[in-house]
Amino acid sequence: EAASTFAWLTTCPHLIYWGDMDADGFEIVDQYRRAGVPASTILMDLETFGTYERFGSTTDAHGVKLTMSARRNLPTLTAPERALYENLTDPGWARVLRIEQERIPLTAAMAAVRDWVTADPLT
């Protein structure tokens, strides 16, 4: 919620969030939105997860095995975000639990931003 204390974040008409594809990443974007930050995400959906899963992590930065996060109520998630979040918090999910955004090529992020701008032109 500290992000909402920065007026430019809450008054910015267009803000793109690109976080890790894990439960924490979706919880962060939900917290931003509930604090009034108008964040749209890029590269945080099932299709992107499938494309870059080979870069996924099974351990944290200290080599500790990642564990499944308990599902929380995240009311601000879009349908594509929710679909991935629900999979990542499903005890039956047998795939990796995290793909760090820095593992995804910046060219993919740049293309996603261009696609976002084209779909929702800055006005």
Side-chain angles (χ1 to χ4, degrees):
E1 292 183 32
S4 65
T5 62
F6 296 98
W8 71 269
L9 281 175
T10 57
T11 60
C12 181
H14 304 283
L15 191 132
I16 298 173
Y17 176 87
W18 177 32
D20 291 347
M21 283 185 281
D22 64 359
D24 289 343
F26 289 106
E27 291 168 9
I28 291 167
V29 75
D30 179 73
Q31 289 171 357
Y32 282 159
R33 289 173 178 159
R34 287 199 272 163
V37 177
S40 297
T41 63
I42 60 166
L43 302 175
M44 294 184 70
D45 55 54
L46 276 167
E47 181 180 355
T48 304
F49 190 93
T51 300
Y52 297 102
E53 186 170 5
R54 67 188 180 276
F55 299 128
S57 303
T58 57
T59 61
D60 69 12
H62 305 289
V64 177
K65 183 173 174 48
L66 295 174
T67 58
M68 179 79 52
S69 295
R71 185 174 296 159
R72 296 177 48 202
N73 179 25
L74 306 180
T76 69
L77 295 186
T78 65
E81 294 162 352
R82 181 170 310 289
L84 179 53
Y85 176 74
E86 288 182 356
N87 277 295
L88 291 168
T89 57
D90 180 343
W93 180 258
R95 296 162 71 177
V96 298
L97 297 175
R98 173 183 299 146
I99 301 174
E100 296 170 327
Q101 94 268 22
E102 59 267 22
R103 299 294 310 269
I104 297 173
L106 287 176
T107 54
M110 188 167 24
V113 169
R114 282 189 190 124
D115 291 346
W116 185 87
V117 169
T118 301
D120 186 10
L122 304 176
T123 55

